[in-house]
Amino acid sequence: DGGITQSPKYLFRKEGQNVTLSCEQNLNHDAMYWYRQDPGQGLRLIYYSQIVNDFQKGDIAEGYSVSREKKESFPLTVTSAQKNPTAFYLCASNRVPGEKLFFGSGTQLSVL
Amino acid sequence: KNQVEQSPQSLIILEGKNCTLQCNYTVSPFSNLRWYKQDTGRGPVSLTIMTFSENTKSNGRYTATLDADTKQSSLHITASQLSDSASYICVVTRSYIPTFGRGTSLIVHP
């Protein structure tokens, strides 16, 4: 089955710790995205990548980092600089920007 | 400022009833408008897409309408089912950049 796989489903972060969220897709999509979802708010763009080895900051990139070494993979690291990391994180992809987004099942990150 | 506003914020209906969700936007010009369904703890899934020139689009029991003059869209759900309980998100795309509404939380009671 083609799709986007996010892992883990739940993640806990200790203060001062960096954590990495995994996102893998087998849809052969060029563009991949990371969104943050907080209760009562719309999805906010953290980072996006339109091609391997290239990525751009979204609206709320501070405290986050990404890499795009392979077309299929777009991991997100939540660094200790992100002071309010508790949220639901969604990875998405599409063939080209503007087309329908395909989302993963999300990762719920909480702070211990 | 969020340029996509959805109403109501939440809605409770009985199984079998119809309902209509609203989306008002200021994003202009836009490439397309989509409605997504998001089950709790899951990622959103696309229901419908409409371009500027389209007025209505159906997907089973879901019917979306678009009035580009008033910048309003609606999602009508017919004969609701328990599985329709979810958040419904309106997304307007301009220059390849999507802007997400905050969603309407729908609860369908038996």
Side-chain angles (χ1 to χ4, degrees):
Chain A
D1 287 339
I4 300 181
T5 302
Q6 288 187 241
S7 63
K9 182 64 176 175
Y10 300 96
L11 186 59
F12 296 90
R13 193 192 89 167
K14 296 179 181 179
E15 191 171 343
Q17 184 183 41
N18 293 351
V19 293
T20 298
L21 285 61
S22 171
C23 178
E24 303 277 335
Q25 55 99 357
N26 60 6
L27 299 167
N28 200 32
H29 286 168
D30 286 313
M32 297 187 73
Y33 310 78
W34 275 105
Y35 289 94
R36 170 175 171 147
Q37 187 174 36
D38 293 280
Q41 294 198 32
L43 274 66
R44 292 183 291 169
L45 182 64
I46 304 172
Y47 269 98
Y48 66 99
S49 168
Q50 297 187 23
I51 196 169
V52 174
N53 292 323
D54 186 45
F55 48 82
Q56 288 77 41
K57 294 182 179 179
D59 301 320
I60 56 167
E62 185 175 352
Y64 301 97
S65 66
V66 294
S67 63
R68 186 87 185 275
E69 298 178 0
K70 299 186 301 181
K71 186 176 184 178
E72 300 79 18
S73 179
F74 192 40
L76 172 73
T77 295
V78 183
T79 74
S80 57
Q82 173 48 248
K83 299 306 180 185
N84 184 23
T86 297
F88 190 55
Y89 290 86
L90 285 161
C91 179
S93 72
N94 54 15
R95 192 172 59 89
V96 294
E99 288 194 351
K100 177 172 68 174
L101 287 165
F102 291 80
F103 286 88
S105 294
T107 293
Q108 176 63 50
L109 176 62
S110 302
V111 177
L112 290 176
Chain B
K1 180 182 177 182
N2 197 322
Q3 297 177 299
V4 179
E5 300 291 340
Q6 293 188 241
S7 62
Q9 183 176 351
S10 61
L11 182 62
I12 301 174
I13 63 174
L14 292 176
E15 186 179 11
K17 298 297 185 182
N18 304 336
C19 67
T20 300
L21 314 180
Q22 299 291 342
C23 174
N24 295 340
Y25 61 91
T26 58
V27 178
S28 182
F30 74 91
S31 305
N32 58 64
L33 185 149
R34 295 182 188 273
W35 283 91
Y36 285 81
K37 177 186 179 186
Q38 184 178 21
D39 292 316
T40 301
R42 308 285 294 180
V45 175
S46 179
L47 290 175
T48 65
I49 175 177
M50 286 183 293
T51 60
F52 182 87
S53 59
E54 295 179 297
N55 299 118
T56 185
K57 184 71 69 74
S58 291
N59 178 5
R61 295 180 297 103
Y62 301 103
T63 299
T65 64
L66 173 64
D67 186 334
D69 291 331
T70 61
K71 295 184 172 59
Q72 294 180 327
S73 176
S74 65
L75 181 69
H76 186 75
I77 304 175
T78 304
S80 61
Q81 301 176 357
L82 298 179
S83 59
D84 292 332
S85 295
S87 179
Y88 292 83
I89 302 172
C90 177
V91 183
V92 182
T93 297
R94 170 176 176 262
S95 299
Y96 309 116
I97 298 174
T99 299
F100 293 81
R102 298 180 179 186
T104 291
S105 176
L106 174 65
I107 299 174
V108 180
H109 277 309

